[in-house]
Structure formats: structure tokens, C-alpha cells
């Protein structure tokens, strides 16, 4: 049982959902998939929300969702890749949790997302160069938000979860 939440952030395709699901089973922590929860509530896919309501509307939904988690603990939350775009979101996550940044190379990300059409911001950008450009634009925000950073390239979900737990313990000891 964790007395706080673990928020997984990182670019699309860095493995946040896979890691969250594995972590939830391994450490008996409740798993929240933000995109999935938002899509379910809105009764439409993320692609349709972007197309019909616009990105700003989607970003507002992300912020409202994080506000609802305010009083909760023992959650691992797989956040949408753009959650760090708003400083308010970062502060909400920091209030009751640790923020873990997952990273992967543009090449690995490209491989993972190439057959997926559910990410509107990657439309027409499914090549390592375009992915790297968008990643670079966001890099500073990811780094500033992260309490812990873990590279996922070549690692299993089990290894990543082990690293997350060890790093969180270390970070807690430093507090
Ligand atoms: C986005 C990432 C997506 C989803 C939306 C926008 C982004 O989530 O929230 O398409 O801005 O990086 P994943 O990172 O889970 O793919």
C-alpha cells in the first residue's frame, strides 16, 4: 500500500500503460489509465475528442481529471504524454505523488506507434525525425516535472518496475 500516487509521464510510446499495468499487479496498486478514463467519460475516442472539441478541451479534461485524484492514494496513473504541458497539472501531481518520467529513443517510439492511429498528434509524424522534433520541444518540461527518470530502451516491464520502486524509496529517504 502506497501512501501516495505514482504518476507515469513521458512521450507517447514510452510504455507508460504497459508499465502501469504491470506495476499495479506486482505491487497491488490501483491502475488508472488517464486517456482511457477520459475517453470513457466523454463516450468518444481521444482522436474524436481532438477532432470535434479541439486540443484545449482535451487539456481541460486532463486538468479536471487530475484534480479529482487530489484526495486519493495508492494509485499508479498512466498519464497522457502531453500532461506536462500545463504547469498546473505538474503541481497537482506533485501534491500527492511522485512523478516518474519514462524515456525511449525516437526510433523505439516510432516502432511502437507506427501501426496505431489513436494518437492525433502523431498523424503524419510517424518517423524518428518528426518524433524527435516534438520530443525536443517538450523535453525541458518533462525533465522539470520529473522526480525520477527511467530509460526504458531494452528493458522489460519487470526491470522498469523494479527500478521505479527502488528510485521512489531512495527519493523518499532523501526527503
Ligand atoms: C498526447 C498523448 C496521448 C494522448 C493524446 C495527446 C500528447 O497519450 O493523451 O493523444 O500530447 O502527447 P499517450 O502518451 O498515452 O499516447
Amino acid at each position: 500500500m502506497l501512501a501516495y500516487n505514482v504518476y507515469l509521464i513521458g512521450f507517447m510510446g514510452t510504455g507508460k500503460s504497459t508499465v502501469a499495468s504491470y506495476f499495479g499487479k506486482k505491487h497491488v496498486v490501483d491502475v488508472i489509465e488517464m486517456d482511457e478514463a477520459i475517453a470513457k467519460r466523454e463516450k468518444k475516442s481521444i482522436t474524436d475528442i481532438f477532432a470535434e472539441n479541439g486540443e484545449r478541451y482535451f487539456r481541460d479534461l486532463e486538468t479536471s481529471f487530475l484534480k479529482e485524484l487530489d484526495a486519493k492514494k495508492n494509485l499508479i496513473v498512466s498519464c497522457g504524454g502531453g500532461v506536462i504541458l500545463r504547469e498546473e497539472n505538474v503541481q497537482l501531481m506533485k501534491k500527492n505523488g511522485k512523478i516518474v518520467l519514462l524515456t525511449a529513443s525516437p526510433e523505439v517510439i516510432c516502432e511502437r506507434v507506427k501501426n496505431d492511429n489513436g494518437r492525433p498528434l502523431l498523424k503524419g509524424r510517424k518517423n524518428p525525425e518528426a518524433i524527435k522534433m516534438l520530443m525536443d520541444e517538450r523535453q525541458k518540461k518533462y525533465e522539470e516535472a520529473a522526480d525520477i527518470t527511467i530509460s526504458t530502451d531494452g528493458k522489460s516491464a519487470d526491470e522498469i518496475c523494479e527500478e521505479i520502486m527502488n528510485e521512489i524509496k531512495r527519493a523518499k529517504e532523501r526527503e
Side-chain angles (χ1 to χ4, degrees), residues 10-14 16-17 33-35 38 46-47 50 55 58-59 62 78-83 85 113 116 118-122 134 138 142:
F11 200 78
M12 295 167 267
T14 46
K16 295 170 299 227
S17 306
E33 180 62 48
M34 247 172 95
D35 278 353
I38 288 174
I46 302 295
T47 305
F50 268 72
E55 179 169 350
F58 174 74
R59 300 295 174 204
E62 287 187 310
S78 171
C79 301
V83 78
L85 295 174
V113 301
D116 181 274
R119 293 179 168 105
L121 295 182
L122 287 183
L134 185 55
R138 292 179 170 186
Y142 282 128

Side-chain angles (χ1 to χ4, degrees), residues 9-74:
I9 63 163
F11 200 78
M12 295 167 267
T14 46
K16 295 170 299 227
S17 306
T18 310
V19 170
S21 146
Y22 194 93
F23 189 96
K25 287 189 197 116
K26 191 167 167 166
H27 298 289
V28 201
V29 170
D30 294 327
V31 179
I32 301 224
E33 180 62 48
M34 247 172 95
D35 278 353
E36 212 176 280
I38 288 174
K40 199 169 162 194
R41 272 187 195 179
E42 292 294 297
K43 298 191 179 66
K44 52 175 124 160
S45 69
I46 302 295
T47 305
D48 287 346
I49 298 174
F50 268 72
E52 291 166 24
N53 309 94
E55 179 169 350
R56 174 145 190 199
Y57 179 84
F58 174 74
R59 300 295 174 204
D60 287 342
L61 295 176
E62 287 187 310
T63 304
S64 314
F65 192 84
L66 286 175
K67 282 184 184 158
E68 287 172 37
L69 300 184
D70 193 44
K72 300 221 163 74
K73 57 186 178 188
N74 199 46

Side-chain angles (χ1 to χ4, degrees), residues 14-15 18-19 101-103 108 112 149-164:
T14 46
T18 310
V19 170
L101 170 64
L102 299 185
T103 66
V108 168
R112 289 187 188 149
T149 302
I150 293 178
S151 153
T152 63
D153 283 352
K155 290 181 195 157
S156 68
D158 191 52
E159 285 170 316
I160 297 164
C161 290
E162 196 64 29
E163 261 187 62
I164 292 176

